[in-house]
């Protein structure tokens, strides 16, 4: 019988993967074990600490539901989500920068008419959003689905509210770009918001004296055939959390000036209740392949 010490054990576990048919799976398992074992050795992890970690991960899984993804939240606050994004987007070639998907994407929606108010029943300052999707040379890309979603004026996503199950979605929609690659819609000005702190990830954030805030932003997922799916946010210039986003998701290229306007009509010629805000952003797509992420939560029936 082998008598493993704390270093021979690592080699034995790595050897146990020798027959793995898929070389990529074999490589990932080997490297995972190396990193985990190194962590235990470097920290002289105690039984209590190991038990606390098992308990934390157990509770993280138990917190997940059809409308809550605590593991993505954990990945986000530890910077793993942005690191995966970074190693997969090292060379943008002038394309729009990417950032985290986040835990509140619920998947595809039926296309919504341009100009629609996706937050029609919600309180908040009104905002008009104009976007354009092009290739790297500025050629418009028509017929491209653009998914948008954002938090409301209280800092919550629709899927965080009990009414989501019965009343359906709000502040989220899919638009299809027109012949000039454009889309536009009405909504409310989102505010900075805390990630959920009523679960194990929130407990951890507060325990290490970090704040749980994200700077105000609108999420966009642009999925054009022949181009890499673009998962990004547009952040609102001036937000006080831009330098300390709890999920490390801010990039300078993604910060937009959102102008306060008093014009009596919005850019589509329809009346505006003053004051209102204007967000404009153009999305440059990088040629390539890729699959847009599957939703981590179920969309509601009428979404
Ligand atoms: Fe968000």
């Amino acid at each position: 019988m082998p008598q493993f010490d704390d270093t021979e054990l690592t080699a034995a576990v790595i050897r146990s993967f020798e027959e793995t048919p898929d070389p990529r799976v074999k490589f990932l398992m080997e490297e995972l074990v190396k990193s985990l074992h190194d962590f235990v050795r470097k920290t002289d992890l105690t039984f209590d600490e190991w038990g606390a970690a098992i308990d934390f991960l157990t509770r993280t899984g138990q917190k997940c539901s059809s409308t809550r993804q605590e593991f993505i939240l954990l990945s986000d606050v530890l910077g793993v989500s942005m690191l995966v994004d970074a190693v997969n987007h090292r060379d943008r070639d002038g394309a729009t920068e990417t950032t985290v998907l986040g835990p509140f994407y619920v998947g595809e929606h039926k296309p919504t008419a341009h100009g629609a108010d996706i937050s029609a029943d919600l309180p908040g300052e009104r905002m008009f959003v104009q976007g354009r999707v092009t290739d790297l040379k500025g050629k418009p890309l028509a017929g491209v689905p653009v998914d948008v979603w954002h938090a409301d004026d209280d800092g919550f996503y629709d899927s965080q509210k009990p009414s989501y199950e019965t009343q359906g979605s709000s502040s989220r929609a899919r638009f299809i770009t027109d012949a000039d690659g454009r889309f536009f819609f009405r909504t409310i000005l989102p505010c900075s918001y805390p990630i959920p702190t009523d679960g194990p990830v929130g407990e951890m954030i507060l325990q290490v004296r970090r704040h749980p805030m994200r700077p105000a932003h609108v999420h966009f997922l642009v999925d054009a055939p022949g181009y890499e799916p673009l998962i990004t946010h547009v952040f609102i210039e001036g937000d006080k959390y831009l330098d300390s986003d709890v999920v490390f998701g801010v990039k300078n290229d993604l910060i937009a000036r959102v102008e306060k306007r008093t014009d009596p009509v919005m850019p589509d010629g329809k009346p505006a209740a003053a004051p209102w805000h204007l967000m404009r952003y153009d999305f440059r797509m990088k040629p390539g392949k890729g699959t847009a992420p599957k939703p981590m939560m179920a969309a509601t029936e009428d979404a």
Side-chain angles (χ1 to χ4, degrees):
M1 290 289 286
Q3 300 290 320
F4 297 122
D5 65 17
D6 69 343
T7 54
E8 289 166 350
L9 181 62
T10 302
V13 177
I14 288 172
R15 277 199 304 277
S16 76
F17 299 125
E18 272 176 3
E19 302 299 320
T20 307
D22 185 322
R24 178 67 179 173
V25 172
K26 179 171 183 280
F27 173 70
L28 292 175
M29 293 303 295
E30 289 172 351
E31 293 302 313
L32 177 65
V33 166
K34 282 184 203 169
S35 295
L36 283 173
H37 285 211
D38 275 347
F39 176 81
V40 174
R41 271 189 292 270
K42 280 181 194 164
T43 59
D44 285 329
L45 199 69
T46 68
F47 283 108
D48 282 349
E49 290 161 346
W50 176 83
I54 295 292
D55 175 64
F56 176 82
L57 291 172
T58 301
R59 290 188 296 116
T60 299
Q62 289 168 338
K63 197 71 183 172
C64 293
S65 70
S66 62
T67 56
R68 176 80 178 252
Q69 233 306 343
E70 195 77 357
F71 269 113
I72 289 187
L73 203 57
L74 177 59
S75 169
D76 289 354
V77 303
L78 294 180
V80 177
S81 303
M82 280 305 289
L83 191 55
V84 172
D85 182 71
V87 300
N88 282 279
H89 296 115
R90 285 194 169 106
D91 193 356
R92 296 302 293 149
D93 297 332
T96 298
E97 291 289 348
T98 54
T99 187
V100 290
L101 178 68
F104 300 117
Y105 179 61
V106 303
E108 295 181 11
H109 295 248
K110 292 175 193 162
T112 301
H114 292 196
D117 188 343
I118 66 171
S119 302
D121 299 325
L122 294 176
E125 298 183 38
R126 311 319 291 180
M127 181 168 74
F128 192 92
V129 180
Q130 282 180 312
R132 189 162 184 249
V133 179
T134 71
D135 68 7
L136 295 181
K137 293 177 181 167
K139 184 185 120 196
L141 299 178
V144 172
V146 179
D147 290 345
V148 304
W149 65 106
H150 66 78
D152 65 18
D153 195 42
D154 294 327
F156 291 104
Y157 284 79
D158 56 356
S159 56
Q160 294 177 279
K161 302 174 190 173
S163 59
Y164 182 69
E165 299 292 347
T166 53
Q167 296 174 22
S169 61
S170 61
S171 304
R172 65 173 79 235
R174 162 169 287 192
F175 297 93
I176 307 294
T177 58
D178 66 14
D180 198 30
R182 297 183 188 280
F183 63 93
F184 56 95
F185 59 96
R186 290 167 170 72
T187 189
I188 55 171
L189 188 68
C191 61
S192 48
Y193 66 85
I195 60 162
T197 53
D198 62 342
V201 174
E203 285 171 26
M204 180 188 73
I205 288 295
L206 300 177
Q207 190 176 10
V208 297
R209 303 297 186 268
R210 283 170 57 180
H211 74 67
M213 300 301 291
R214 297 216 62 205
H217 58 271
V218 178
H219 292 257
F220 293 89
L221 194 166
V222 187
D223 192 14
Y227 296 83
E228 291 181 0
L230 174 64
I231 297 166
T232 196
H233 306 358
V234 174
F235 295 92
I236 296 175
E237 187 181 79
D239 191 289
K240 71 176 186 175
Y241 296 107
L242 284 171
D243 290 330
S244 62
D245 182 3
V246 69
V247 307
F248 310 96
V250 179
K251 294 177 178 174
N252 289 337
D253 187 43
L254 300 177
I255 300 172
R257 175 170 297 166
V258 174
E259 304 162 28
K260 196 165 191 173
R261 307 290 284 264
T262 54
D263 319 30
V265 293
M266 287 185 167
D268 62 354
K270 295 186 177 165
W276 53 281
H277 302 265
L278 177 61
M279 171 185 277
R280 285 185 287 208
Y281 201 85
D282 291 343
F283 301 86
R284 299 175 304 277
M285 303 294 289
K286 183 176 179 181
K289 296 178 184 171
T291 307
K294 297 282 181 253
M296 296 295 175
M297 302 185 298
T300 52
E301 280 295 306
D302 64 344

